[in-house]
Structure formats: structure tokens, C-alpha cells
Amino acid sequence: DSGVTQTPKHLITATGQRVTLRCSPRSGDLSVYWYQQSLDQGLQFLIQYYNGEERAKGNILERFSAQQFPDLHSELNLSSLELGDSALYFCASSVGGGSTYNEQFFGPGTRLTVL
Amino acid sequence: AQKITQTQPGMFVQEKEAVTLDCTYDTSDPSYGLFWYKQPSSGEMIFLIYQGSYDQQNATEGRYSLNFQKARKSANLVISASQLGDSAMYFCAMRGEDSSYKLIFGSGTRLLVRP
């Protein structure tokens, strides 16, 4: 158990809908990262938050947004869902930036299926 | 631009034998970190081992060791005494060059351990 929790574990929804994925980082970790794993794109970085502030953006669609709350948990919001958004969404956490070594601990993932 | 390349989509190894999973990387940052993660069929991402670019010694963690050849830009994972439970996807990753410390992943190698 990495100490990172993600809910829900599975999510099945229809095209055009909106969903929210939730992540709680390990105790003491200030950074939260979101990654998407799909068959055609592999594992891709979406966005990072550090202590409540957006730190970096990757290949995140405009239909997707995220935030990190004062208690450091994070939510990833996916809207106007398309079939191609079906993927495994991981949240990872780390203590933070400032050093080369920045081991990220991954949550169990949320498997999103868009029908 | 940073890139991680894993050229072996799939590999077989006999139980109790050693296996090497290849990873090459490209970066212009003189200070970088390389990671290996294991993803079993259950889906979670498990951190295995880390190598920093300035580390003098090759990293080792139990049955995992990293064959780090800086001049060749390679960071191959060696698993000794393979076990059936080692059957999984293995991802090589690199810390991003920007301040986000996001991870950039290779396409992965699927390892199957034969009894």
C-alpha cells in the first residue's frame, strides 16, 4: 500500500457526461500528480499541484481540470466525456520539488470507462 | 526534448534466471533521475528503484539492480532470480527537466516468467 488513495476505483459513464476523480496523497506529501494511462498513448502526465498551486501542465485537454484543496487532497474533473477518454487515471504524490530525487508514490488508479 | 525508449515490448524469462530490461534515455539536463516502476495485472504502479545521474554506484534494491551507463544513456533494470510474481509490465521513467518533477515514461516491457 503506497499510502495514496483514489476514489472511485471504477467508473462507468456515458459520452457527454462529467465525472470527478478524487485523490488523497500520502501524509506529508505536498505534490500531487495526475497521469492518464491509455492503450494508444501510454502513461502520460496531465497536471501537477504543489501545496495548492498548479505547478505544471502536461497533455491535459481543456475539457479536463483539476484542483488541490487546503487539506492537500486533489480532484480531477473530466467533462464532455468522449469514448477516447476511457483510461486508467493515476494520482501520485511526493514530498515536493527541490531535489533531483523525487520518488512518486502512485495510488491504485481509477479506471474510467466511457460508453 | 526528453525521451525514454524501451525497445522490448515483451520478454520471457525462466523462473530463477536473471533478466535485463532495456531502457535508453535522452535529456539535455546534466542533473536527472531515472526510475523503474512495476505494474502487475492488478494495475497499481509499484516503485522499484531509482538512479540519480550523479550517483557513483549503480543502484540496487534486493533482487533489482540498475545497470547505469551514463555515456551510453542507458539505465537497464536487472532482475535476478526471477519469480513468478515478477510477471508484470515494467516502466522506465525519467524526471522532467522543468521544475515540476513530473515523470516521463517509456512504453513499457511486458515480462512473463515461465515456471
Side-chain angles (χ1 to χ4, degrees), chain A residues 4-84:
Chain A
V4 180
T5 60
Q6 288 188 251
T7 56
K9 195 167 175 61
H10 299 278
L11 201 46
I12 301 174
T13 188
T15 55
Q17 295 298 304
R18 173 190 169 94
V19 296
T20 297
L21 313 183
R22 183 189 167 99
C23 167
S24 291
R26 292 187 322 153
S27 177
D29 284 358
L30 299 179
S31 270
V32 168
Y33 306 77
W34 287 97
Y35 294 88
Q36 179 195 58
Q37 185 178 29
S38 61
L39 285 174
D40 53 345
Q41 299 288 331
L43 262 162
Q44 292 209 69
F45 167 74
L46 294 178
I47 197 164
Q48 180 209 3
Y49 279 82
Y50 176 76
N51 203 20
E53 303 271 332
E54 183 184 300
R55 174 66 71 92
K57 261 186 174 179
N59 298 322
I60 187 166
L61 300 171
E62 284 192 15
R63 301 182 285 108
F64 296 0
S65 65
Q67 55 184 325
Q68 187 179 26
F69 295 86
D71 67 351
L72 300 177
H73 91 270
S74 178
E75 292 181 356
L76 179 67
N77 300 296
L78 316 177
S79 61
S80 303
L81 286 167
E82 301 175 0
L83 296 177

Side-chain angles (χ1 to χ4, degrees), chain A residues 35 37 48 56 90 99-100 104, chain B residues 31 37 39 43 50 100-101 103:
Chain A
Y35 294 88
Q37 185 178 29
Q48 180 209 3
F90 284 108
S99 66
T100 300
Q104 294 181 24
Chain B
S31 176
Y37 283 85
Q39 186 178 38
Y50 166 82
S100 74
Y101 300 94
L103 291 177

Side-chain angles (χ1 to χ4, degrees), chain B residues 16-20 61-65 77-83 86:
Chain B
K16 297 180 187 175
E17 291 185 352
V19 63
T20 298
E61 287 287 347
R63 293 186 299 112
Y64 304 108
S65 62
L77 177 70
V78 181
I79 305 175
S80 63
S82 296
Q83 302 171 357
D86 294 334

Side-chain angles (χ1 to χ4, degrees), chain B residues 50-65:
Chain B
Y50 166 82
Q51 180 80 47
S53 58
Y54 292 124
D55 292 345
Q56 296 296 313
Q57 308 268 357
N58 283 350
T60 59
E61 287 287 347
R63 293 186 299 112
Y64 304 108
S65 62

